[in-house]
């Protein structure tokens, strides 16, 4: 089957979070199963830098109309990698910017136009370069594709047989814009109603996708259940309940070619379950890099790599920072995002120079070194659709402490010291004392060296490769394509 991915992120071209890892890894895995995969991405400034000076245009100009003007888009051939064909949507005035979605923590004001243009350009491009059996679109940025398919383009003979699968990577980001967006994007006003594109007086990209896609998926079974409740549904719970029969939870996999301590080129030393020594070297190197070389061997090192967003629950860490500083524990954190959270981490490190260090920014190699060098990996997320870092941590023998939500709950099993089973530590409530209790359980376990080694090895033995999820996606594509054949 031919599947077209339309996404706003994909490794190695453009990344702000796990969406990029997923889009980058799923394609090659589907190719292994015998499918044909084409990926469309915006040609951001960061992508431009990875391409040759002379761009290879597959399509020179496509007209994308707006209310009072047209934009003209080129499609750049990005070549074939690991069996996957890449195309970049080129519209410099819209995409040739350093940030993917904004700058300095503020969204670009024209994001509705940017991602509507991208979505429509992908549909137009496929008419020249190959219409797939199924479009697989990801998050709000490409959620207008199913809307266009079943409204503006519903009588297009080239596209009307194409199915569409929408994956929700994060229901917290919906692409909500003023009602006037309807007219700007040339949608008829009849679509701006509660059962279609309108949501709480806004034009809502994700909601449109939820209404019009053939099959919906999200990135863990638990999150598929959670988003149907008011607590996690981000006000889309009733829409999702209405489509429960078409909603699947497919847990993300991991690209072990990128995330494996036995082969990871970013590390001071490689290691494996059979030969763990290298992890000690990674720990020492990490502490040196963060200026924490005085940390004792008996002190547990907690690692954090994250977008600093409210979603990630670091406000809970802030509430226990004082108490944690009294424990025998060191913290290394890498992240960037909301100014208040960056400030908290900076201040925490400033007042606890011997034990807490933070790097504000985005650094892929350092993320790998933290996965390898830390003893414990902390993810206290308020919600977490899947979460990849806790799964990477398992492979790196770095024990996750997580909040029992979404994919964190699905992938981490509480350590049972009597039976020597489990892979990490979980807490349920949304309060800092539950978090502190989970960290304390981890610190107590860390004192028992033999038990800790078992716990590490339990995690390292878990396999979250893409093979199984890719089969589940293939089944979802089959279902979506089937509906269009009816
Ligand atoms: P989310 O997509 O919500 O950010 P995930 O756990 O699914 O969460 O994925 C996050 C991905 O982004 C991981 O690959 C992680 O290593 C990476 N990442 C997040 N923040 C940073 C950072 N500051 N530097 C480098 N990599 C980061
Ligand atoms: C989102 C979610 C994260 C998930 C990732 C990839 O950004 O926040 O939990 O792992 O998408 O699906």
């Amino acid at each position: 089957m031919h599947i077209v991915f339309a996404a706003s992120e994909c490794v190695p071209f453009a990344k702000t979070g796990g969406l990029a890892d997923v889009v980058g890894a799923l394609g090659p895995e589907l190719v292994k199963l015998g499918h044909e995969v084409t990926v469309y991405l915006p040609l951001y400034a960061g992508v431009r830098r990875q391409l040759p000076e002379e761009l290879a245009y597959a399509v020179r100009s496509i007209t994308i109309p707006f209310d009072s003007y047209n934009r003209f888009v080129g499609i750049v051939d990005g070549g074939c990698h690991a069996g996957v064909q890449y195309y970049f949507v080129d519209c410099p005035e819209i995409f040739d910017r350093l940030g993917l979605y904004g700058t300095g923590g503020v969204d670009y004001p024209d994001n509705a136009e940017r991602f509507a243009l991208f979505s429509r350009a992908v549909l137009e491009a496929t008419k020249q370069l190959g219409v797939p059996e199924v479009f697989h679109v990801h998050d709000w940025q490409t959620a207008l594709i199913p809307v266009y398919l079943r409204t503006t383009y519903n009588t297009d003979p080239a596209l009307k047989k194409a199915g569409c699968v929408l994956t929700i990577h994060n229901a917290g980001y919906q692409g909500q814009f003023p009602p006037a967006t309807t007219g700007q994007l040339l949608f008829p006003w009849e679509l701006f109603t509660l059962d279609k594109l309108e949501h709480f007086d806004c034009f809502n990209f994700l909601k449109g996708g939820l209404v019009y896609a053939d099959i919906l998926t999200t990135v863990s079974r638990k999150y598929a259940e959670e988003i149907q409740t008011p607590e996690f549904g981000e006000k889309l719970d009733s829409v999702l309940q209405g489509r429960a029969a078409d909603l699947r939870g497919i847990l993300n996999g991991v690209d072990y070619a990128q995330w494996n301590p036995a082969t990871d080129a970013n590390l001071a030393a490689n290691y494996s379950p059979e030969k763990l020594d290298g992890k000690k070297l990674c720990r020492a190197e990490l502490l040196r890099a963060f200026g924490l070389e005085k940390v004792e061997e008996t002190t547990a090192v907690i690692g954090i790599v994250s977008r600093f967003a409210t979603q990630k629950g670091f406000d809970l860490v802030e509430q226990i920072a004082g108490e944690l500083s009294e424990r025998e524990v060191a913290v290394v954190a890498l992240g960037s995002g909301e100014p208040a959270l960056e400030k908290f981490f900076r201040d925490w490190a400033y007042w606890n120079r011997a034990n807490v260090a933070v790097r504000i920014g985005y650094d892929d190699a350092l993320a790998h070194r933290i996965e390898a060098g830390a003893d414990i990996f902390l993810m206290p997320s308020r919600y977490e659709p899947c979460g990849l870092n806790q799964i990477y941590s398992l492979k790196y023998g770095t024990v996750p402490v997580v909040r029992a939500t979404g994919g964190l709950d699905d992938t981490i099993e509480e350590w049972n010291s009597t039976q020597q089973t489990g892979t990490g530590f979980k807490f349920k409530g949304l309060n800092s004392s539950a978090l502190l209790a989970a960290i304390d359980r981890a610190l107590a376990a860390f004192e028992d060296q033999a038990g800790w080694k078992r716990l590490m090895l339990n995690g390292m033995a878990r396999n979250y490769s893409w093979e199984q999820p890719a089969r589940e996606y293939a089944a979802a594509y089959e279902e979506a394509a089937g509906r269009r054949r009816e």
Side-chain angles (χ1 to χ4, degrees):
M1 185 187 291
H2 181 202
I3 304 119
V4 159
F5 284 12
S8 57
E9 301 188 21
C10 175
V11 285
F13 301 107
K15 169 166 170 175
T16 69
L19 169 64
D21 300 58
V22 171
V23 175
L26 176 58
E29 201 65 36
L30 289 164
V31 169
K32 281 193 216 157
L33 293 178
H35 299 290
E36 181 188 349
V37 179
T38 308
V39 176
Y40 284 85
L41 274 178
L43 207 160
Y44 305 111
V47 178
R48 182 70 191 85
R49 274 200 234 116
Q50 298 177 51
L51 299 177
E53 186 59 34
E54 193 76 20
L55 292 175
Y57 282 95
V59 181
R60 198 64 195 84
S61 175
I62 292 172
T63 310
I64 306 292
F66 290 91
D67 49 358
S68 58
Y69 56 98
N70 291 330
R71 288 205 190 274
F72 302 95
V73 166
I75 305 294
V76 172
D77 188 340
C80 194
H81 309 277
V84 175
Q85 171 67 44
Y86 290 85
Y87 289 116
F88 303 113
V89 172
D90 182 28
C91 184
E93 65 273 30
I94 287 281
F95 290 127
D96 193 17
R97 305 178 189 175
L98 279 178
L100 271 50
Y101 312 124
T103 178
V106 182
D107 284 350
Y108 294 128
D110 55 352
N111 273 346
E113 178 184 356
R114 294 173 78 225
F115 290 103
L117 171 132
F118 175 64
S119 299
R120 197 161 176 172
V122 170
L123 288 175
E124 287 291 342
T126 61
K127 293 209 285 176
Q128 302 190 43
L129 300 169
V131 174
E133 268 107 320
V134 174
F135 287 91
H136 185 180
V137 306
H138 301 262
D139 276 350
W140 75 266
Q141 291 89 342
T142 49
L144 285 189
I145 286 186
V147 179
Y148 284 127
L149 274 174
R150 306 300 164 226
T151 60
T152 319
Y153 286 81
N154 70 339
T155 54
D156 186 331
L159 288 169
K160 71 176 183 209
K161 289 252 179 268
C164 189
V165 173
L166 164 66
T167 296
I168 306 159
H169 294 265
N170 195 328
Y173 301 84
Q174 299 178 4
Q176 302 187 68
F177 301 96
T181 309
T182 315
Q184 188 201 2
L185 303 184
L186 298 175
F187 283 111
W189 279 97
E190 298 93 89
L191 294 183
F192 192 71
T193 55
L194 273 180
D195 58 337
K196 299 193 174 80
L197 297 171
E198 181 192 353
H199 206 53
F200 293 91
D201 287 333
C202 282
F203 182 102
N204 187 310
F205 276 50
L206 184 59
K207 180 178 178 184
L210 298 181
V211 170
Y212 286 102
D214 297 305
I215 298 287
L216 308 174
T217 75
T218 188
V219 289
S220 67
R221 279 183 230 303
K222 182 79 185 265
Y223 193 60
E225 286 165 18
E226 286 175 338
I227 48 179
Q228 296 180 53
T229 68
E231 189 187 349
F232 292 96
E234 309 278 351
K235 300 202 171 120
L236 289 173
D237 38 297
S238 52
V239 182
L240 285 155
Q241 277 167 25
R243 296 225 50 194
D246 301 320
L247 173 63
R248 319 267 175 273
I250 304 178
L251 192 74
N252 287 334
V254 165
D255 182 357
Y256 287 123
Q258 302 286 332
W259 296 94
N260 180 351
T263 51
D264 193 330
N266 300 295
L267 308 186
N270 291 114
Y271 60 93
S272 62
E274 297 75 36
K275 221 170 160 299
L276 277 173
D277 305 358
K279 186 162 171 75
K280 287 212 176 76
L281 293 174
C282 293
R283 189 184 124 124
E285 188 273 338
L286 179 68
L287 291 174
R288 254 197 320 278
F290 274 86
L292 299 178
E293 45 274 277
K294 295 218 178 88
V295 167
E296 306 273 348
E297 221 171 284
T298 51
T299 302
V301 176
I302 296 181
I304 291 169
V305 178
S306 188
R307 291 184 292 114
F308 288 161
T310 308
Q311 173 197 347
K312 302 294 178 179
F314 293 117
D315 53 321
L316 299 180
V317 177
E318 186 166 5
Q319 290 167 33
I320 58 159
E323 280 156 288
L324 259 191
S325 308
E326 287 161 21
R327 309 274 198 283
E328 201 189 335
V329 71
V331 178
V332 288
L334 166 66
S336 63
E338 292 169 17
L341 287 170
E342 290 188 0
K343 179 174 175 345
F344 153 62
F345 276 104
R346 274 207 192 92
D347 289 351
W348 196 20
Y350 180 81
W351 294 110
N352 297 276
R353 282 187 192 179
N355 292 310
V356 179
V358 62
R359 204 63 69 75
I360 301 292
Y362 184 90
D363 183 337
D364 186 52
L366 190 55
H368 287 248
R369 285 155 61 203
I370 293 175
E371 284 292 359
D375 300 301
I376 293 169
F377 198 91
L378 184 60
M379 292 180 75
S381 307
R382 291 173 166 269
Y383 73 93
E384 196 61 76
C386 177
L388 292 169
N389 278 112
Q390 84 281 10
I391 316 183
Y392 301 153
S393 298
L394 292 175
K395 186 75 177 171
Y396 282 71
T398 303
V399 175
V401 172
V402 303
R403 179 150 182 267
T405 181
L408 296 173
D409 200 24
D410 282 354
T411 53
I412 304 304
E413 186 194 326
E414 178 81 18
W415 169 243
N416 179 322
S417 59
T418 321
Q419 300 184 344
Q420 302 271 293
T421 55
T423 54
F425 300 88
K426 299 202 264 197
F427 67 100
K428 282 215 169 74
L430 196 54
N431 59 70
S432 56
S433 48
L435 164 62
L436 189 60
I439 294 176
D440 279 338
R441 291 201 298 283
L443 295 180
F446 186 70
E447 286 178 14
D448 164 22
Q449 277 193 21
W452 190 260
K453 186 170 173 198
R454 182 71 261 153
L455 170 53
M456 285 168 60
L457 291 174
N458 285 355
M460 293 176 92
R462 294 287 161 103
N463 177 10
Y464 286 99
S465 69
W466 268 105
E467 211 178 304
Q468 174 59 24
R471 286 181 199 284
E472 292 176 41
Y473 276 111
Y477 303 147
E478 201 45 65
E479 252 184 299
R483 300 226 179 145
R484 294 295 137 197
R485 282 186 214 116
E486 277 157 18

